[in-house]
Amino acid sequence: MKRTFQLNEIHDVAKELLEKAPNKVVCLYGEMGVGKTTLVKALIKELGAVDVASSPTFGLVNEYSDANDTPLAYHFDFYRLNDEMEALDMGFEDYLNSDAWLFIEWPEKIPSLIPNDAVSVFLHFIEESTRSIELNIS
């Protein structure tokens, strides 16, 4: 999957990503402000979560559930992480064993903890309201 899109098409992109991803561990790459959190918000909404997604920058992880309180997704933002031990200390490996989707921003901060079959999503600026997305599936 590779496409250019307007920000107002983000929900279509999210739906397509969820359909094409071969597994539920999704690593989001891109510079600050490119729209990683915006994409995760759209993904969370497409999954049917009862909460509106927000950036977990300060808490490192947010959990999103359905109406029955079943976890649908976990959203990680590792931007402020100093080393992989911090991710281990917060129980990151336990999340990898869950059945929920994992959306990971700044996965380059924890390279040895990312599963080999994780889906890599690369976001790039094109113009103010235009982005490109590339989904790499191993």
Side-chain angles (χ1 to χ4, degrees):
M1 172 181 160
K2 186 173 186 171
R3 70 180 273 194
T4 300
F5 65 97
Q6 300 295 308
L7 291 179
N8 63 2
E9 299 173 299
I10 194 92
H11 288 282
D12 296 333
V13 170
K15 187 175 183 177
E16 187 177 351
L17 194 157
L18 291 171
E19 290 169 357
K20 294 192 174 177
N23 66 59
K24 294 182 173 182
V25 178
V26 179
C27 295
L28 300 149
Y29 296 89
E31 59 188 279
M32 183 77 74
V34 76
K36 295 181 296 293
T37 300
T38 302
L39 177 57
V40 171
K41 286 179 182 182
L43 290 163
I44 298 294
K45 186 172 183 182
E46 285 297 320
L47 288 172
V50 293
D51 299 318
V52 175
S54 61
S55 177
T57 301
F58 297 101
L60 296 180
V61 62
N62 286 344
E63 177 182 320
Y64 298 98
S65 301
D66 63 15
N68 298 319
D69 212 28
T70 303
L72 292 172
Y74 297 97
H75 176 198
F76 300 87
D77 185 336
F78 290 136
Y79 180 74
R80 297 192 188 285
L81 227 57
N82 293 314
D83 58 46
E84 290 183 337
M85 277 309 296
E86 288 182 54
L88 291 172
D89 289 346
M90 64 162 300
F92 180 72
E93 289 177 315
D94 294 332
Y95 291 101
L96 290 172
N97 294 320
S98 82
D99 288 331
W101 285 84
L102 304 184
F103 302 117
I104 305 167
E105 292 188 50
W106 305 102
E108 54 270 38
K109 296 272 193 163
I110 58 161
S112 72
L113 302 179
I114 300 295
N116 292 333
D117 61 350
V119 178
S120 295
V121 175
F122 298 90
L123 291 167
H124 304 282
F125 283 107
I126 303 295
E127 293 174 356
E128 183 63 33
S129 63
T130 307
R131 303 291 188 270
S132 73
I133 185 169
E134 186 177 343
L135 178 66
N136 285 359
I137 302 166
S138 3

